[in-house]
Amino acid sequence: MLKPDDRRLLLEALRPPVGYSLDCAVATTYSLDLLALLSAPLAFTFFDAEDAEGRPLANPLALLDAVRRYAGRIHIFCQAGQIKVPGRSQLLYSYLEDSVFEVNAPSPHGVFHPKVWALRFVAPESPVLYRLLCLSRNLTFDRSWDTALVLEGTLVERKNAHGSNHPLGNFFAVLPRLLRRPLPARVLADVDKVQRELRRVQFELPPGYNELSFFPLGIPGAPRWPFEGRIDRMLVISPFLADGCLARLTRSGVGHILVTRPESAETLSGKSLNAFQKVYSLAEASEEESGSEDDEVPGQAPPSGLHAKLYVADAGWDARIWTGSANATDAAFRHNVEFLVGLQGKKSQCGVEATLGLNERTGATLFGLLEEIRPLDSSAVPDPVQERLDEMLRLTQRVIAQAEMIARVVPAARPDEYCLDLTLQENTSVPSLPVGVAGRCWPITLREEQSVALGCMVPTIASFASISCEAITSFFAWELSTSAEGRTARVRFVRNLPLQGEPSQRGERILRAILHDRSQTARYLFLLLAGQDTGRPAGEGIDHIIGRSGLESGSVGTLPALFEALVRALYEEPARIDEVARVVEDLKGSEDSSLLPEGFEEIWLPIAEARRRLSSE
């Protein structure tokens, strides 16, 4: 854990085991980057499609294939008001609207902060397999040092649950109750299935550990403090700190060690610092970034900064580890919703010194990345004006994030144009902007220049006229700003709102806009038919695969290549024919089918008929 040469990317951790496919995934995060979520379905395909920072490099057709097949099986719960504003518009974000659900912590003083994935994998004539990811990282492109605990286990056919798994099941069971609106029936069914089955999963323990525990914090009935029992020595790794929490962590034992950010250590009292034998931060060389996002040098860009949350306690010959989302702050253990996994093993293998790598003579270790810091009283005086502005925006953001709003679609006077109205739900109190705070909002499918300024938030908050069917979305970007005495503050976020009145052909129009011509459609159809081509050369991308098909040679080679792929899929993987049928239906559902390759229907109709006969046998 935390070994520099054993860093695991999220897409790698999401990939199904050999022979398995994703049935559904339920995940939680505090903040959410829509581009990061857009790349997640790629993990369930056969394309290697991320750059050094995990951003999707895939051909847009590979992204389209992934999100159309898997976005509906991924359910993400995030803190309301913490979806990041995308850098640019992307039609594919429309496929994520039914995958994102904004929630709030039960405590009015807390936030929803856990970073957990539960993935359900299925395979013919094999037991259901679950993978649990407990992360310290949000679903974003942050490049900090983090931890990732990956557990796998099979669903056991037994009447009684594993008692130790009940806190895990309870955590997922409570998620629907943290929303202000009901979950769609299909999502509720998946969440309920996951929470029930997780109680009967036999998880395999990581090597060196003999006990596993789950600690959901901040949900009804769950304990708030997981660090009970004997503690001789404690290692605390946390980017954010609070004196009260550290006092509780170090109330027993001696020789404690703290790893944090230098700026966080500067905020602590002398009493808190004196409770630790040593205080470390990542060495400056460990935090340096190599190059920019535009670098074309292959390989993984190094992480930068500390974001991991890890607690290690020695107790005699044994040791316990807690890892997950909770910082060493009072908010984390008193108000927030958090999630930690606890592991127990021998001190020699997973204790404080073993985790730091103090006894290892070769190889990269965590201790090798650290440098001791001696925090001094900071001479910097907090700026009360800036703090007041930041707090004003934080509270305003919270009010808007919790306001019950609806996005309503109304046909405009011109054909194929619509009005998108942002309104408050009936019987909802009207939020207001504080004096001195300016605000604006816009659908993320439009340019910022088309934003509407926020005035009095009467039932109709904003109206966007004459937009295309493809520009309709449930994702709305918000920007709040204020200034005083030469200081300024700004915050930007996205909300995913209930969408009412959307045109029935919206999905077809989005698909047509993405494909946009017959050549792209032919490439996409071949991509659907390629399937899980495990025999392809290692590292071969979508462009090479399509190039081998002959589709790049022009219209002469298009139909023979597609016909060959259709016939092969019909007898080797008939489900691929069903996916092609859905695309053909969407494209033909519009006024014309001009995006289908010329002559395609002549080869498609007999294949479709053969598939119908096979299905009826």
Side-chain angles (χ1 to χ4, degrees):
M1 192 175 299
L2 268 177
K3 288 188 176 181
D5 54 358
D6 187 28
R7 192 163 182 262
R8 190 163 193 175
L9 294 176
L10 178 61
L11 289 190
E12 177 190 346
L14 296 179
R15 295 198 189 282
V18 176
Y20 278 81
S21 61
L22 178 73
D23 176 64
C24 67
V26 181
T28 65
T29 182
Y30 170 67
S31 57
L32 173 64
D33 187 313
L34 292 175
L35 185 59
L37 176 55
L38 190 64
S39 67
L42 286 167
F44 310 116
T45 70
F46 68 102
F47 297 111
D48 296 324
E50 70 270 13
D51 65 11
E53 299 171 32
R55 290 180 171 84
L57 279 179
N59 181 293
L61 297 180
L63 281 171
L64 175 62
D65 176 39
V67 297
R68 276 178 63 93
R69 283 197 283 140
Y70 292 108
R73 307 183 200 180
I74 302 174
H75 318 306
I76 306 291
F77 295 82
C78 69
Q79 169 64 40
Q82 290 299 325
I83 304 174
K84 297 182 180 298
V85 177
R88 62 185 180 87
S89 178
Q90 169 65 266
L91 280 176
L92 286 171
Y93 291 146
S94 299
Y95 289 102
L96 304 178
E97 293 171 356
D98 296 331
S99 300
V100 177
F101 305 97
E102 295 182 280
V103 298
N104 291 283
S107 169
H109 305 292
V111 296
F112 183 81
H113 198 252
K115 303 100 166 57
V116 185
W117 286 72
L119 300 111
R120 187 180 194 268
F121 297 116
V122 294
E125 300 180 4
S126 298
V128 172
L129 180 71
Y130 270 91
R131 182 180 296 159
L132 185 75
L133 309 182
C134 183
L135 312 172
S136 62
R137 168 173 296 189
N138 294 299
L139 190 48
T140 66
F141 291 115
D142 180 61
R143 293 174 61 180
S144 302
W145 283 99
D146 280 281
T147 55
L149 175 63
V150 182
L151 300 172
E152 282 191 359
T154 54
L155 178 62
V156 180
E157 294 299 329
R158 53 182 286 170
K159 182 178 180 180
N160 297 324
H162 296 287
S164 59
N165 287 13
H166 277 311
L168 176 62
N170 293 343
F171 171 76
F172 284 95
V174 81
L175 294 179
R177 287 181 269 163
L178 302 182
L179 277 79
R180 290 180 174 269
R181 56 188 173 106
L183 278 176
R186 62 175 181 81
V187 180
L188 188 61
D190 279 348
V191 174
D192 185 59
K193 175 173 61 178
V194 166
Q195 69 89 9
R196 286 186 290 103
E197 291 185 345
L198 281 174
R199 303 172 194 270
R200 293 186 288 116
V201 172
Q202 183 68 52
F203 286 106
E204 297 181 11
L205 287 169
Y209 298 94
N210 53 40
E211 189 175 308
L212 173 68
S213 304
F214 301 106
F215 299 97
L217 311 179
I219 67 172
R224 274 287 187 184
W225 189 250
F227 309 109
E228 301 296 345
R230 175 180 174 180
I231 295 178
D232 298 335
R233 189 187 193 190
M234 173 73 82
L235 165 64
V236 177
I237 302 177
S238 176
F240 302 106
L241 308 169
D243 288 316
C245 182
L246 292 180
R248 297 176 73 188
L249 287 168
T250 57
R251 62 187 174 189
S252 63
V254 294
H256 307 305
I257 295 176
L258 173 64
V259 179
T260 187
R261 297 175 176 177
E263 60 270 24
S264 295
E266 295 286 355
T267 66
L268 298 177
S269 67
K271 182 178 180 181
S272 293
L273 291 173
N274 291 336
F276 292 94
Q277 183 182 54
K278 297 285 185 181
V279 179
Y280 296 100
S281 67
L282 285 177
E284 186 173 336
S286 302
E287 299 197 50
E288 291 179 356
E289 303 196 9
S290 64
S292 67
E293 297 175 7
D294 298 325
D295 285 344
E296 296 181 359
V297 179
Q300 179 178 302
S304 174
L306 179 71
H307 196 251
K309 295 93 174 171
L310 189 71
Y311 306 85
V312 184
D314 291 345
W317 295 103
D318 297 320
R320 287 169 290 161
I321 287 180
W322 298 265
T323 183
S325 66
N327 288 288
T329 62
D330 298 329
F333 294 97
R334 295 186 187 278
H335 304 296
N336 294 352
V337 175
E338 308 274 3
F339 195 92
L340 295 171
V341 173
L343 296 164
Q344 180 171 307
K346 294 299 180 182
K347 183 173 72 172
S348 60
Q349 292 182 286
C350 56
V352 172
E353 293 192 358
T355 300
L356 291 171
L358 293 177
N359 298 325
E360 297 186 27
R361 300 187 180 277
T362 61
T365 65
L366 173 58
F367 187 73
L369 299 175
L370 304 179
E371 63 181 9
E372 187 174 358
I373 56 176
R374 302 180 185 279
L376 302 174
D377 292 335
S378 176
S379 58
V381 178
D383 185 339
V385 176
Q386 190 66 54
E387 288 184 339
R388 175 171 57 83
L389 296 180
D390 292 339
E391 178 67 8
M392 183 186 302
L393 289 192
R394 188 187 68 81
L395 294 176
T396 307
Q397 178 183 5
R398 188 179 184 94
V399 168
I400 292 178
Q402 294 181 349
E404 298 184 32
M405 304 177 186
I406 297 175
R408 286 196 172 94
V409 181
V410 180
R414 294 182 179 180
D416 295 330
E417 289 189 355
Y418 299 86
C419 293
L420 187 57
D421 295 332
L422 186 59
T423 66
L424 293 169
Q425 290 191 12
E426 295 182 4
N427 302 319
T428 299
S429 58
V430 179
S432 60
L433 296 180
V435 176
V437 173
R440 60 181 181 133
C441 69
W442 66 96
I444 66 169
T445 49
L446 301 183
R447 300 187 307 276
E448 289 188 35
E449 292 78 7
Q450 296 173 273
S451 64
V452 171
L454 301 177
C456 297
M457 292 193 184
V458 292
T460 299
I461 299 171
S463 184
F464 303 88
S466 302
I467 66 173
S468 67
C469 183
E470 296 87 345
I472 295 171
T473 182
S474 64
F475 288 122
F476 283 79
W478 300 74
E479 180 182 274
L480 304 174
S481 60
T482 187
S483 60
E485 299 182 30
R487 282 76 154 182
T488 61
R490 187 181 73 157
V491 63
R492 291 157 62 94
F493 57 96
V494 169
R495 287 208 60 192
N496 190 20
L497 303 173
L499 187 61
Q500 295 183 354
E502 62 177 311
S504 59
Q505 74 275 20
R506 178 177 169 231
E508 302 161 7
R509 295 285 295 270
I510 292 172
L511 179 61
R512 290 177 62 84
I514 294 173
L515 295 180
H516 67 74
D517 64 33
R518 283 177 166 173
S519 174
Q520 280 288 86
T521 304
R523 289 163 58 88
Y524 182 52
L525 292 174
F526 186 81
L527 174 63
L528 294 179
L529 294 167
Q532 303 293 335
D533 185 3
T534 56
R536 67 188 177 93
E540 184 180 56
I542 176 177
D543 292 324
H544 290 90
I545 296 170
I546 293 176
R548 284 194 289 109
S549 73
L551 294 184
E552 298 299 339
S553 61
S555 59
V556 174
T558 298
L559 287 182
L562 280 174
F563 182 69
E564 180 183 348
L566 285 165
V567 172
R568 184 170 61 248
L570 178 64
Y571 291 101
E572 294 180 0
E573 200 175 356
R576 292 286 167 180
I577 300 297
D578 299 334
E579 294 176 12
V580 172
R582 285 192 287 271
V583 173
V584 172
E585 183 179 354
D586 283 348
L587 294 180
K588 293 182 67 175
S590 54
E591 295 180 359
D592 63 80
S593 54
S594 59
L595 289 184
L596 290 171
E598 189 172 356
F600 177 77
E601 289 193 59
E602 296 178 14
I603 64 172
W604 167 247
L605 291 176
I607 295 292
E609 178 59 30
R611 174 58 177 151
R612 282 191 291 270
R613 289 200 304 268
L614 288 173
S615 300
S616 62
E617 292 179 358

